Each structure stands twice: as C-alpha cells, then as structure tokens.
Amino acid sequence: AMPSALLSHTLVPTGPGSVCLELRGDWTLNTAAPAVDEIVQACGPGIQNLALNGEELGDWDSRLLLFVQQLVASAQERGIAVDESGLPSGALRLLQLSRQAEHRGPESEGKPTHRSLLWRIGERVLSAWQATRSMATFTGEVVLAVLQLFSGKAAFRFRDFLYFVQNCGVESLPIVSLIAVLVGIILSFVGSVQLQMFGAEIYIANLVTLGMVMEMGALMSGVIIAGRIGAAYAAQLGTMQTNEEIDALRTMGISPITFLVLPRLLALACMMPLLCIYADVMGILGGIFIGQIMLGLSPEEFMNQAIKSIKLIHFVQGMTKSAVFGILIGFAGCLRGMECGRSAMAVGEATTSAVVTSIVFIVISDSILTICFNVLWR
C-alpha cells in the first residue's frame, strides 16, 4: 500500500506564539494530504506564526504546492502568518509563479492601476536607461566579433553569408524594381508639371537623376529592406530565442554574435550599395519614360542632360548612405531578435520594433549624412 501523507507531518512548538510544521516523507499525488483546518486548529490559541520545514521531505509534486496554498489561506483567515522559507527552493519558485499568475488573472487585469506621474516618469527613465545599456552592450559585442573575424578567430560560416547575400540581394530585386520605377515616375511627373510652366522641360533629367542618385535610391531601398529583411532577421532570431537555440549555442561555447548576427550584418552592408545602384538605374528609367510620354524628350536627350548634371561626389554620397543604412538595418533587426522574449507575442513585438527602429535609424542617419556632405562639399 502507498504510504499516507497523513503521518508525515509534526507540529513542534518553537517559542511563545510560534510553531513549526515539519514535513517528512513523500508528498505526491499518490498520498493523502492531511486536512488543513485540523492542522490550523491544532496550533492552538495564541499562535501567531507558523513556520514550514521541509528538510526531511522526499519526493514531492503539485500535492505539496496545493497543500501549502490551502494552509496559507486558512492560516491567514485566523490571523496566523506562515513562513515558507523552510520549503525546498523549487517549491518556493513554483509557488511564486502560481501567485504571479493569479495576480495577472482576468479579474486583476480589468482593475486600473492608479500610479503617480512621478512613478510613471521614473519607470520610463529606467526603461530608457536599460534600453541604452542593452544597445551599447550589443554594439560592443558586434565590434569585438568583427575584430575576431579579421583575426580569423570567429565562428563565421561563409555559406551562411552567401545565403543571406542571396536573400537580401537577388531576392529583393523585384520589389526594389517596382518601387524605384514608381518613385522615378512620380519625381518626373511632379517636376514636369512645374518645369513646363517655365519652358525648362529638359531639366527634368537633372531633377530625376540627382534625386535618385543622391537621396531617393538609397532611402527607398533602405525602407524596403527594413520592412523585408530587418523584420525577417528579428523574427528568425526571436524564434531561435524562444526555442532556446541561442542558449544551446552559448552552452556549446559558440558566440551567437559571430555565428548568427555577423553573417546577416555583413550581407546587408555589402548588398545595400548594389541595391542602391540598381534602384538608381530603375528610377532613371522611370524618369525617361515620363519624359518621353509627357514632354517629348528622347532617351538620348534625357541621358545627355543627366550625365552633365551628375558628378562623382553625388554618386559617392548615395553609396555611403546606402552602406550605412544596410549596417543600421541589420543592427536593428538582430538587436530586437536577440532581445526577444520567449513567447509568440514577444516575437511579433520584436518584429514590429525592428522595422520601426530601422526606419528611425535610417531617417536620423540620412539627416546627419546630408548635413555632413553639404558642409564638406559646398
């Protein structure tokens, strides 16, 4: 017959107003737990503190946890404080988790929490500080991984790098083509309406070429890649974080930064300038189409005027911006993926945050680089 838990506890007085409930043996679902009310009544009058001691416990499962919860509830009704510190550490963690889940229940979620303005400001400041520290730590790890790569000590798989080059380069050409052509058409159409008023239709080539090469080619391809590749990176790494694959890499002594982040980051940094060149060409083709349809400009006239208007510095400016955008997009996508929690909702939040962060980085860096180029080459 299975041993009964009814005989595996003892009340021992420990001082005035205090008793200790010593739990012994196996407390599992195969045993019969003692009646909670009988134990509380056995404490006697004048008892204010009840301590639990589980040093002699054998096997235990949810039977022990359920007994402790019922005992605490019954003791609190009689004004007796229960000290659970003597229980096994695993049982204490499970009890804490169960109580947290109760606080997050439907009844508590609907109740508004009234917090002061100072409390909310402090919470936001601490959250911003934690995010800044996390970003700085991730940046340092990436820099160290790059240095290890140059020294030949990084766990870098060249096959992964080639796969990500294909993913963010060749496979992105269709959507980049569509958006770039439409942007070139929009620029030429809006410009032609204004230039026709002054009889300066030929300068539509200057507008489209300079706009695409200096700004729109890099900016639009950056926004497209942020939505397509940055979100994918965050989802991939976030799912790996949820499945504990990244923890497994650390356990095997492999740095996730060099093994997972570095190939993605370098692939974007290498392919973004090439995508920018491709977007420039497609945007100029869109401008040629509108110039011929609306203004009667032949492709030869358009290209001759475009070649006269563009200089090498304009091309360098666009390429520099696109390379910086690629690094920032890869950085934001991998950062949000590595910070992801361990749930499906956390993966979705990381993906959304990666796109938003990438676009914010693109806009801020674009403004800074534009000002720097204007100051250096005025």
Side-chain angles (χ1 to χ4, degrees):
M2 291 290 181
S4 175
L6 289 169
L7 305 177
S8 58
H9 70 282
T10 305
L11 277 173
V12 179
T14 56
S18 301
V19 293
C20 177
L21 179 62
E22 297 183 353
L23 306 176
R24 295 185 298 273
D26 296 337
W27 284 66
T28 65
L29 295 175
N30 296 324
T31 60
V36 172
D37 293 336
E38 294 180 1
I39 294 178
V40 175
Q41 291 176 0
C43 292
I47 298 299
Q48 300 177 349
N49 299 303
L50 173 62
L52 301 180
N53 184 8
E55 293 181 356
E56 299 182 10
L57 274 174
D59 295 334
W60 59 269
D61 55 17
S62 56
R63 168 68 71 191
L64 174 65
L65 304 179
L66 182 61
F67 170 78
V68 172
Q69 285 185 328
Q70 293 175 349
L71 179 64
V72 170
S74 179
Q76 288 178 349
E77 291 178 358
R78 298 174 180 267
I80 301 176
V82 179
D83 181 12
E84 305 171 355
S85 59
L87 293 175
S89 59
L92 292 176
R93 287 196 299 268
L94 292 175
L95 287 170
Q96 183 180 7
L97 287 175
S98 66
R99 288 162 184 166
Q100 290 176 353
E102 290 177 358
H103 291 315
R104 291 196 300 265
E107 296 81 4
S108 62
E109 289 179 359
K111 298 179 182 178
T113 55
H114 300 284
R115 294 166 178 170
S116 65
L117 177 61
L118 183 61
W119 192 95
R120 292 196 297 268
I121 293 175
E123 185 183 35
R124 294 294 179 86
V125 171
L126 291 176
S127 177
W129 171 247
Q130 183 63 33
T132 303
R133 288 187 59 185
S134 177
M135 186 176 297
T137 302
F138 185 77
T139 304
E141 291 177 347
V142 171
V143 172
L144 292 177
V146 172
L147 296 178
Q148 290 178 357
L149 177 63
F150 289 152
S151 62
K153 299 179 181 179
F156 184 87
R157 294 181 60 182
F158 193 70
R159 292 180 60 185
D160 291 345
F161 171 74
L162 294 180
Y163 168 77
F164 292 120
V165 163
Q166 177 183 354
N167 185 28
C168 64
V170 178
E171 296 179 5
S172 301
L173 292 180
I175 185 63
V176 172
S177 303
L178 176 63
I179 300 301
V181 169
L182 293 178
V183 169
I185 290 176
I186 293 171
L187 284 176
S188 58
F189 180 79
V190 174
S192 63
V193 173
Q194 300 299 320
L195 293 175
Q196 279 181 324
M197 300 171 58
F198 304 98
E201 294 87 348
I202 189 64
Y203 290 105
I204 192 67
N206 301 55
L207 174 64
V208 174
T209 304
L210 289 176
M212 291 301 301
V213 171
M214 293 178 60
E215 189 67 36
M216 296 306 297
L219 185 61
M220 295 309 301
S221 58
V223 172
I224 295 169
I225 295 301
R228 184 181 183 275
I229 304 299
Y233 286 176
Q236 292 168 4
L237 297 179
T239 304
M240 296 180 70
Q241 189 77 265
T242 303
N243 295 335
E244 299 183 355
E245 297 176 40
I246 295 179
D247 295 336
L249 288 176
R250 291 194 177 99
T251 303
M252 292 186 292
I254 301 174
S255 171
I257 302 298
T258 58
F259 192 75
L260 300 175
V261 174
L262 214 54
R264 292 171 166 82
L265 198 62
L266 295 181
L268 266 181
C270 294
M271 294 310 298
M272 274 299 296
L274 300 180
L275 288 175
C276 178
I277 297 174
Y278 181 76
D280 294 342
V281 174
M282 299 305 294
I284 292 173
L285 290 178
I288 291 174
F289 174 76
I290 293 298
Q292 189 170 12
I293 296 298
M294 294 189 60
L295 304 177
L297 294 176
S298 65
E300 292 79 8
E301 292 175 325
F302 191 100
M303 290 306 301
N304 288 334
Q305 184 66 24
I307 293 173
K308 293 178 183 178
S309 64
I310 193 172
K311 297 180 181 179
L312 180 61
I313 185 58
H314 301 146
F315 181 78
V316 171
Q317 181 173 343
M319 293 299 98
T320 303
K321 288 183 178 180
S322 62
V324 172
F325 293 167
I327 295 174
L328 293 177
I329 293 169
F331 178 87
C334 295
L335 171 65
R336 298 310 180 195
M338 296 294 288
E339 291 179 345
C340 178
R342 301 183 187 274
S343 65
M345 182 177 293
V347 175
E349 292 174 353
T351 304
T352 303
S353 179
V355 177
V356 174
T357 305
S358 300
I359 294 177
V360 170
F361 282 172
I362 288 173
V363 174
I364 294 176
S365 62
D366 188 21
S367 304
I368 295 174
L369 290 173
T370 301
I371 294 173
C372 293
F373 278 111
N374 288 336
V375 171
L376 293 176
W377 290 284
R378 279 193 289 186

